[in-house]
mmCIF file of all heavy atoms in Angstrom:
data_model
loop_
_atom_site.group_PDB
_atom_site.id
_atom_site.type_symbol
_atom_site.label_atom_id
_atom_site.label_comp_id
_atom_site.label_asym_id
_atom_site.label_seq_id
_atom_site.Cartn_x
_atom_site.Cartn_y
_atom_site.Cartn_z
ATOM 1 N N ASP U 214 -48.435 -16.184 -47.850
ATOM 2 C CA ASP U 214 -47.335 -15.660 -48.703
ATOM 3 C C ASP U 214 -46.038 -15.959 -47.872
ATOM 4 O O ASP U 214 -45.003 -16.164 -48.451
ATOM 5 C CB ASP U 214 -47.542 -14.212 -48.977
ATOM 6 C CG ASP U 214 -48.716 -13.971 -49.942
ATOM 7 O OD1 ASP U 214 -49.098 -14.884 -50.757
ATOM 8 O OD2 ASP U 214 -49.073 -12.876 -50.131
ATOM 9 N N GLY U 215 -46.030 -15.655 -46.493
ATOM 10 C CA GLY U 215 -45.047 -15.813 -45.762
ATOM 11 C C GLY U 215 -44.432 -17.291 -45.913
ATOM 12 O O GLY U 215 -43.141 -17.529 -45.875
ATOM 13 N N ALA U 216 -45.357 -18.134 -45.701
ATOM 14 C CA ALA U 216 -44.924 -19.616 -45.757
ATOM 15 C C ALA U 216 -44.355 -19.963 -47.186
ATOM 16 O O ALA U 216 -43.611 -20.809 -47.305
ATOM 17 C CB ALA U 216 -46.144 -20.507 -45.421
ATOM 18 N N THR U 217 -45.123 -19.495 -48.188
ATOM 19 C CA THR U 217 -44.469 -19.749 -49.553
ATOM 20 C C THR U 217 -43.066 -19.233 -49.578
ATOM 21 O O THR U 217 -42.270 -20.107 -50.272
ATOM 22 C CB THR U 217 -45.345 -18.882 -50.551
ATOM 23 O OG1 THR U 217 -46.685 -19.260 -50.520
ATOM 24 C CG2 THR U 217 -44.849 -19.191 -52.054
ATOM 25 N N LYS U 218 -42.708 -18.150 -49.154
ATOM 26 C CA LYS U 218 -41.394 -17.596 -49.266
ATOM 27 C C LYS U 218 -40.460 -18.644 -48.413
ATOM 28 O O LYS U 218 -39.339 -19.002 -48.885
ATOM 29 C CB LYS U 218 -41.215 -16.258 -48.633
ATOM 30 C CG LYS U 218 -39.856 -15.716 -48.656
ATOM 31 C CD LYS U 218 -39.141 -15.555 -49.970
ATOM 32 C CE LYS U 218 -37.789 -14.849 -49.952
ATOM 33 N NZ LYS U 218 -36.805 -15.360 -49.132
ATOM 34 N N ALA U 219 -40.774 -18.913 -47.158
ATOM 35 C CA ALA U 219 -40.086 -19.727 -46.306
ATOM 36 C C ALA U 219 -39.802 -21.208 -46.940
ATOM 37 O O ALA U 219 -38.759 -21.782 -47.033
ATOM 38 C CB ALA U 219 -40.842 -20.033 -45.051
ATOM 39 N N MET U 220 -40.919 -21.721 -47.652
ATOM 40 C CA MET U 220 -40.749 -22.997 -48.208
ATOM 41 C C MET U 220 -39.882 -22.933 -49.447
ATOM 42 O O MET U 220 -39.130 -23.749 -49.713
ATOM 43 C CB MET U 220 -42.176 -23.517 -48.701
ATOM 44 C CG MET U 220 -42.170 -25.100 -49.173
ATOM 45 S SD MET U 220 -41.712 -26.052 -47.780
ATOM 46 C CE MET U 220 -40.806 -27.397 -48.607
ATOM 47 N N GLU U 221 -39.926 -21.926 -50.172
ATOM 48 C CA GLU U 221 -39.015 -21.667 -51.452
ATOM 49 C C GLU U 221 -37.580 -21.595 -50.871
ATOM 50 O O GLU U 221 -36.642 -22.288 -51.464
ATOM 51 C CB GLU U 221 -39.406 -20.312 -52.035
ATOM 52 C CG GLU U 221 -40.531 -20.301 -52.893
ATOM 53 C CD GLU U 221 -40.957 -18.887 -53.397
ATOM 54 O OE1 GLU U 221 -40.376 -17.963 -52.916
ATOM 55 O OE2 GLU U 221 -41.868 -18.844 -54.150
ATOM 56 N N ASP U 222 -37.308 -20.977 -49.765
ATOM 57 C CA ASP U 222 -36.006 -20.976 -49.125
ATOM 58 C C ASP U 222 -35.440 -22.349 -48.713
ATOM 59 O O ASP U 222 -34.357 -22.691 -48.949
ATOM 60 C CB ASP U 222 -35.807 -19.897 -47.994
ATOM 61 C CG ASP U 222 -36.051 -18.530 -48.493
ATOM 62 O OD1 ASP U 222 -35.878 -18.149 -49.605
ATOM 63 O OD2 ASP U 222 -36.223 -17.682 -47.471
ATOM 64 N N LEU U 223 -36.504 -23.074 -48.135
ATOM 65 C CA LEU U 223 -36.211 -24.419 -47.700
ATOM 66 C C LEU U 223 -35.888 -25.361 -48.987
ATOM 67 O O LEU U 223 -34.774 -26.133 -48.940
ATOM 68 C CB LEU U 223 -37.232 -25.020 -46.758
ATOM 69 C CG LEU U 223 -37.326 -24.305 -45.422
ATOM 70 C CD1 LEU U 223 -38.738 -24.724 -44.910
ATOM 71 C CD2 LEU U 223 -36.190 -24.660 -44.617
ATOM 72 N N LEU U 224 -36.650 -25.194 -49.963
ATOM 73 C CA LEU U 224 -36.388 -26.165 -51.129
ATOM 74 C C LEU U 224 -34.917 -25.807 -51.846
ATOM 75 O O LEU U 224 -34.318 -26.599 -52.328
ATOM 76 C CB LEU U 224 -37.498 -25.944 -52.060
ATOM 77 C CG LEU U 224 -38.853 -26.569 -51.800
ATOM 78 C CD1 LEU U 224 -39.909 -26.077 -52.664
ATOM 79 C CD2 LEU U 224 -38.748 -28.080 -51.691
ATOM 80 N N SER U 225 -34.679 -24.550 -51.696
ATOM 81 C CA SER U 225 -33.353 -24.086 -52.294
ATOM 82 C C SER U 225 -32.126 -24.687 -51.451
ATOM 83 O O SER U 225 -31.130 -25.017 -51.892
ATOM 84 C CB SER U 225 -33.325 -22.633 -52.285
ATOM 85 O OG SER U 225 -31.995 -22.189 -52.851
ATOM 86 N N ALA U 226 -32.410 -24.512 -50.142
ATOM 87 C CA ALA U 226 -31.349 -24.893 -49.180
ATOM 88 C C ALA U 226 -31.096 -26.405 -49.161
ATOM 89 O O ALA U 226 -30.117 -27.033 -49.008
ATOM 90 C CB ALA U 226 -31.456 -24.305 -47.815
#
Side-chain angles (χ1 to χ4, degrees):
D214 289 346
T217 298
K218 176 62 169 61
M220 192 67 213
E221 288 171 347
D222 292 344
L223 289 165
L224 290 170
S225 177

